[in-house]
Amino acid sequence: MSVSMAPKGRRVSSGHLHRFQWFIISFVALLSVVNYTTSGYFYNEGDDSSKDRFCFCQLQGTIDDCSCNVDTVDFYNNVKIFPRLRSLLVKDFFRYYKVNLMKECPFWVDDSKCAMRFCHVEQCEEKDIPPGLKGDVSSYHKYLKEVQTLTNCNEDLDVELGYLNTSISDKAHKEFKKWADYDEAQDNFCISDDHEPGAEYVDLLLNPERYTGYRGESARRIWSSIYLENCFQSHSIRRKNPYAAMIPYHDMTQNEVCLEHRVFYRMISGLHSSINIHLCGNYLLSEKSSMGFVSPTGVWGANMEEFERRFSPQTTDNEGQHWLRNLYFAYLVELRALAKAAPYLRNEEYFTGRDKEDREVRVAVKDLLNVIESFPSHFNESVMFSGGTSSVKVKNEFREKFMNISKIMDCVGCDKCRLWGKLQVQGMGTALKILFSGKFDDDMDSNLQTKLKPDNSQFKLKRAEIVALFNAFGRLSTSIHELEEFRQRMR
C-alpha cells in the first residue's frame, strides 16, 4: 500500500487522502456557487457597471396598468405563442400585405429618402401572388355550401319577388357609399390605403424588418413628431430627448395622468421599444462578407452595443427599463384584442385560392386562438372610456391622435422602414378598433359564434386589417423572444 507523509509524520492512507482532496474540491465549488448566486452572473459585487449591464433588461414584477406579471408573459409567449406565430406568419395569407408606399408625406417636404440599398423594398413576382388575392375567385366557390347543394339556379325563381328596382341613380349610389365609408371610418384608428391607386402587394418574407442604416435627422424627426405633436393638452411635457419618451415614468405614475392617456403613451412607447429591439437583433454588421468582398445580402446579426445604447440606464436617463416594460404592455393590449375577436377570426376563410394551405391556416389560427384565450390575465379594456360624456371626447381625441401617427408613417424616408412602420401601426390600430368600437363587446357572448361572421358587415375586418393585426402582434411577440436572447448573451 502506498503511503504519504502527514505533517507530524502520521501515515495517511490513499483512501483518506482522496476523500480529503474531494472535500477541498467540493468546498471550493461551494464557494464558487455562493459567489455566483450572491454577486450575479459573472460580475463582482463591486463591479456596478457589469451589474447594471445585465439588470436593466432583467424585468420582474407586475406590468403597469395590468394585473399580469412579466414572468407570465415570458412563459406564455416564448413557449406557447411565439412558436405558433412563427409557423403561421410564413403562410401565403399573412406574408402578402397590400400597401401604398408611394404616398407623399402630408406634413413636410420629404427630401431625405434613404439611398442605402438595404432600404429598398424587394418587389414580389406577379406569379408568386396567390390567385385569390389577385381577384381570381373562381376557386372560391368550393367554400360555399350554397353552391355545393344548388343544382339549378333558376328552379326557385319568382319573377315578381326577384324584381330589382334600378331607378336609383349612380349619383345616389355614390352618396350611399360615402355615407357607409364615413360610418365605418368612425371606428377606425388608422389609415387603410390598400384600396388606393399605387397600392401593391409586398412579400414580407422578402423584406424582413431589420436595421438598414436609416438614421440621422430624418429618422429623429419621425419619432419627435410622433411624440411631441401627439401629446394631450393637459400633458405637453418636453424632454431633453423628446423622441425617446412622451412622459417620464415618474410623471406617468402620478394621479394627474389619466388611464386613457397612460395607455396611449405606453402603447406608442411599447411599439417604439419593439422596433428598436428588432433593429438591434437584426443589425447590419457589415456590407462585406468574411472574405472581404461586398455581399449582395449583407451580414446581419445581434448588436449588443446598440441594444445597450438604446435601453441602458446610462444612456436613457434611467428610462430604458420602463420602455421595455411598455413593450409588454403593448403586447397585452394586442393579445386581448385577438382574444376578443377570436369568435370572428375563427370563422374567417383565410382565402388565397390554394385550398390545402388555406385549410392548414384555418386549423393553425384556431389553435393559436385557443392558446390566446387560455391566457390567465388579459388586459381589461372595459375600465377605459367609461366616464360618461367626457369619456366620449377623450375617446375621439385618442382615436384622432393615433390616426395622425398612421399618417406620419408616410414620412419615413426608408421604404423598408416605412413598410413595417405602416404595418405595425395598422395592426395596433386594428386592435384598438376591436377593443373600443363596441362591435366586438363581450355582452354579445351568448350569440357571438353566430353573430360574428365574416360576411356580417357590422363586424367585418378587411383582409389588410387581419394581416396587419397578426403580423403586428407577431412583431411584439418576436421582440419579447429576442429580449430573452439578449439577456442570455449578457449573462
Side-chain angles (χ1 to χ4, degrees):
M1 178 183 295
S2 62
V3 297
S4 174
M5 295 299 295
K8 293 184 179 181
R10 296 177 59 186
R11 300 170 68 88
V12 181
S13 69
S14 60
H16 285 92
L17 180 60
H18 289 160
R19 284 193 292 273
F20 179 73
Q21 289 173 334
W22 276 113
F23 172 78
I24 294 297
I25 293 172
S26 300
F27 181 71
V28 171
L30 177 63
L31 289 178
S32 300
V33 170
V34 171
N35 181 64
Y36 177 80
T37 56
T38 57
S39 62
Y41 293 95
F42 304 110
Y43 58 78
N44 295 324
E45 186 65 34
D47 188 359
D48 291 335
S49 62
S50 298
K51 183 177 180 179
D52 291 340
R53 185 176 186 268
F54 171 67
C55 286
F56 81 85
C57 66
Q58 184 64 48
L59 308 180
Q60 294 178 338
T62 304
I63 300 167
D64 298 307
D65 290 320
C66 295
S67 60
C68 183
N69 290 328
V70 169
D71 291 343
T72 303
V73 175
D74 280 336
F75 171 77
Y76 252 81
N77 180 72
N78 297 341
V79 175
K80 296 186 175 184
I81 293 178
F82 173 75
R84 288 174 166 85
L85 274 172
R86 182 170 55 180
S87 62
L88 177 65
L89 296 180
V90 299
K91 299 296 187 180
D92 286 349
F93 183 87
F94 294 105
R95 68 182 284 186
Y96 291 101
Y97 176 60
K98 194 172 186 180
V99 62
N100 187 356
L101 298 176
M102 306 302 295
K103 297 173 69 173
E104 295 184 358
C105 174
F107 302 110
W108 59 78
V109 177
D110 186 8
D111 55 357
S112 53
K113 283 284 187 179
C114 178
M116 296 191 66
R117 60 192 175 104
F118 297 112
C119 286
H120 175 68
V121 171
E122 297 290 338
Q123 299 296 323
C124 56
E125 296 288 339
E126 180 72 17
K127 61 181 177 59
D128 295 331
I129 301 176
L133 305 186
K134 294 187 293 185
D136 178 9
V137 296
S138 58
S139 58
Y140 177 66
H141 296 290
K142 67 168 70 80
Y143 293 127
L144 301 180
K145 294 180 180 178
E146 298 89 336
V147 173
Q148 295 172 3
T149 58
L150 189 62
T151 57
N152 184 351
C153 61
N154 292 318
E155 71 179 16
D156 193 32
L157 177 62
D158 188 308
V159 176
E160 184 175 348
L161 292 177
Y163 173 72
L164 177 64
N165 186 346
T166 59
S167 61
I168 300 177
S169 66
D170 290 340
K171 182 179 180 181
H173 280 297
K174 292 179 181 178
E175 290 299 321
F176 297 156
K177 179 67 165 57
K178 289 181 181 179
W179 297 345
D181 291 343
Y182 175 81
D183 290 339
E184 182 182 355
Q186 303 315 298
D187 296 326
N188 291 338
F189 284 76
C190 62
I191 303 296
S192 179
D193 57 21
D194 60 299
H195 61 285
E196 296 179 355
E200 295 180 343
Y201 281 104
V202 177
D203 186 345
L204 298 177
L205 299 187
L206 283 180
N207 299 277
E209 184 182 19
R210 55 192 183 186
Y211 179 72
T212 61
Y214 176 59
R215 62 168 66 189
E217 182 57 33
S218 176
R220 283 194 294 270
R221 183 165 54 176
I222 296 297
W223 285 111
S224 63
S225 297
I226 288 174
Y227 287 130
L228 297 183
E229 295 177 13
N230 292 283
C231 289
F232 291 89
Q233 291 293 328
S234 60
H235 258 275
S236 54
I237 295 178
R238 295 296 184 265
R239 302 280 288 140
K240 297 177 183 177
N241 193 4
Y243 52 89
M246 286 182 174
I247 292 183
Y249 180 75
H250 173 74
D251 296 329
M252 189 78 79
T253 59
Q254 304 303 309
N255 291 332
E256 66 262 22
V257 182
C258 70
L259 172 63
E260 289 79 8
H261 293 185
R262 295 199 306 269
V263 168
F264 184 90
Y265 294 143
R266 285 185 171 129
M267 289 192 69
I268 301 304
S269 175
L271 173 64
H272 194 177
S273 297
S274 178
I275 292 174
N276 280 338
I277 291 174
H278 302 154
L279 304 187
C280 297
N282 209 356
Y283 196 90
L284 178 59
L285 302 176
S286 175
E287 293 193 43
K288 296 183 178 180
S289 65
S290 58
M291 302 296 292
F293 300 106
V294 175
S295 171
T297 58
V299 179
W300 305 83
N303 188 323
M304 293 297 301
E305 291 74 18
E306 186 68 15
F307 178 75
E308 291 186 54
R309 185 184 73 80
R310 292 176 185 258
F311 293 107
S312 71
Q314 293 83 0
T315 58
T316 63
D317 195 22
N318 290 315
E319 292 282 339
Q321 188 176 82
H322 304 305
W323 300 344
L324 292 174
R325 299 180 80 86
N326 289 338
L327 161 66
Y328 284 76
F329 180 84
Y331 176 92
L332 288 174
V333 171
E334 294 195 17
L335 183 77
R336 169 57 186 154
L338 284 164
K340 190 169 186 176
Y344 172 91
L345 295 171
R346 284 194 182 94
N347 284 294
E348 260 291 336
E349 294 290 353
Y350 302 98
F351 173 71
T352 65
R354 295 171 178 169
D355 187 31
K356 181 176 182 295
E357 180 163 308
D358 291 352
R359 288 197 304 271
E360 293 174 352
V361 168
R362 289 193 291 272
V363 171
V365 167
K366 290 176 182 178
D367 176 56
L368 173 64
L369 293 174
N370 289 339
V371 173
I372 288 175
E373 288 181 312
S374 70
F375 186 77
S377 304
H378 277 292
F379 174 73
N380 181 13
E381 77 284 359
S382 65
V383 297
M384 294 180 60
F385 309 119
S386 57
T389 55
S390 61
S391 65
V392 176
K393 179 181 178 181
V394 174
K395 182 177 179 180
N396 289 335
E397 192 178 9
F398 190 106
R399 188 182 69 85
E400 289 170 1
K401 291 184 181 300
F402 201 89
M403 187 82 73
N404 192 58
I405 290 175
S406 73
K407 296 177 183 177
I408 294 176
M409 291 297 103
D410 287 317
C411 300
V412 178
C414 165
D415 285 344
K416 194 169 291 184
C417 305
R418 178 185 295 201
L419 164 66
W420 284 100
K422 287 171 72 74
L423 181 144
Q424 290 174 84
V425 168
Q426 185 178 17
M428 187 170 281
T430 302
L432 295 174
K433 176 179 179 178
I434 292 170
L435 293 176
F436 302 120
S437 69
K439 295 181 177 179
F440 295 84
D441 285 351
D442 291 338
D443 60 349
M444 304 174 59
D445 274 347
S446 58
N447 295 312
L448 204 55
Q449 288 288 355
T450 59
K451 287 188 176 182
L452 293 186
K453 296 278 188 171
D455 57 352
N456 188 330
S457 59
Q458 184 181 3
F459 306 103
K460 187 173 184 179
L461 291 176
K462 297 178 181 178
R463 179 186 175 275
E465 291 177 310
I466 296 175
V467 172
L469 175 66
F470 277 85
N471 273 285
F473 182 64
R475 293 284 77 205
L476 296 175
S477 174
T478 300
S479 293
I480 291 176
H481 184 267
E482 288 183 341
L483 186 57
E484 178 59 30
E485 292 183 346
F486 275 112
R487 293 188 191 113
Q488 297 289 348
R489 293 187 184 98
M490 285 190 171
R491 289 167 187 165

